[in-house]
């Protein structure tokens, strides 16, 4: 049987890293064979693109080039890792996927949504996540949490308004696809957020 594809999304500072661990523990407890990956990244090419986009001190990467690089990395990721795993029945847990492109390149950078849809259909064909966990919190709370990082990447350096547009775009997508995207209030205490994520994943596993 084909594996399930779970993604986790949220603004920077929303607590993805700890909640990825929560999801992993739930999958392991249920004896589910899975692979964990991330975007941009997950392959040699993807990690090179990640380094280029996130940490480049060269600010001259244009918005179109950035969008295409995200999808180039994704094409490789799907071909090399995601599809082979799902086809042999493994589950895939991916830290960010195309919802991030809608939120950051579409919402944040204001790239045309139609262009993103076009690339999504071209690169992914019918591949979409089965479940997306969206960690949502007010922008200023995320900024305070992420602010303690010493070396912010190109997106973490963006202005408040950019981050607002990212959040709103994520929430719009969740409203449009409530059966796939589950919104978790990440402004609550860590324990409460982790418990909500664990409940969601256990329910998803139980429903097969
Ligand atoms: P993170 O994995 O540490 O959250 O960093 C990835 C950054 O890349 C994050 O700021 C969101 C950004 N990003 C995009 O702008 N577009 C995308 O399609 C993806 C996958 C990530």
């Amino acid at each position: 049987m084909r594996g399930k594809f779970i993604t986790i999304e949220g603004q920077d500072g929303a607590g993805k890293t700890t909640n990825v661990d929560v999801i992993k523990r739930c999958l392991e407890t249920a004896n589910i064979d899975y692979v964990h990956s991330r975007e941009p990244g997950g392959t040699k090419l993807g990690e090179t693109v990640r380094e280029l986009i996130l940490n480049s001190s060269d600010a001259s990467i244009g918005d179109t080039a950035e969008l295409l690089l995200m999808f180039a990395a994704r094409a490789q990721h799907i071909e090399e890792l995601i599809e082979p795993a799902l086809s042999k029945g493994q589950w895939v847990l991916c830290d960010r996927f195309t919802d991030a492109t809608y939120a950051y390149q579409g919402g944040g950078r204001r790239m045309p949504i139609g262009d993103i849809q076009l690339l999504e259909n071209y690169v992914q064909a019918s591949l979409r996540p089965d479940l997306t966990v969206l960690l949502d919190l007010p922008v200023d709370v995320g900024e305070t949490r992420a602010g303690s990082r010493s070396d912010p990447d190109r997106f973490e350096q963006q202005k408040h308004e950019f981050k607002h547009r990212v959040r709103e775009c994520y929430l719009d997508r969740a409203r449009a696809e409530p059966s796939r995207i589950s919104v978790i209030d990440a402004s609550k205490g860590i324990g409460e957020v982790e418990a909500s994520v664990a409940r969601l994943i256990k329910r998803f596993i139980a429903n097969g």
Side-chain angles (χ1 to χ4, degrees), residues 10 12 16 38-40 50 53-54 66 70 74 95-98 100-102 104-105 149 153 155-156 170:
D12 299 289
K16 271 190 304 105
R38 66 175 180 178
E39 289 209 352
R50 182 183 181 91
I53 296 181
L54 298 191
E66 181 182 281
M70 290 296 183
R74 185 162 298 137
D95 188 336
R96 296 196 190 279
F97 195 63
T98 308
T101 313
Y102 281 99
Y104 284 80
Q105 280 66 51
R149 286 174 203 158
D153 66 37
F155 295 102
E156 288 165 343
Y170 268 135

Side-chain angles (χ1 to χ4, degrees), residues 123-168:
V123 167
Q124 297 170 216
S126 64
L127 178 71
R128 300 289 183 276
D130 297 295
L131 173 72
T132 297
V133 181
L134 173 58
L135 299 172
D136 174 65
L137 80 180
V139 171
D140 48 351
V141 180
E143 278 179 338
T144 310
R145 290 192 192 163
S148 46
R149 286 174 203 158
S150 57
D151 199 10
D153 66 37
R154 277 176 69 245
F155 295 102
E156 288 165 343
Q157 288 165 17
Q158 291 295 321
K159 294 201 175 66
H160 206 70
E161 295 72 47
F162 178 99
K163 293 174 187 173
H164 262 294
R165 293 198 297 274
V166 168
R167 181 186 187 203
E168 284 313 311

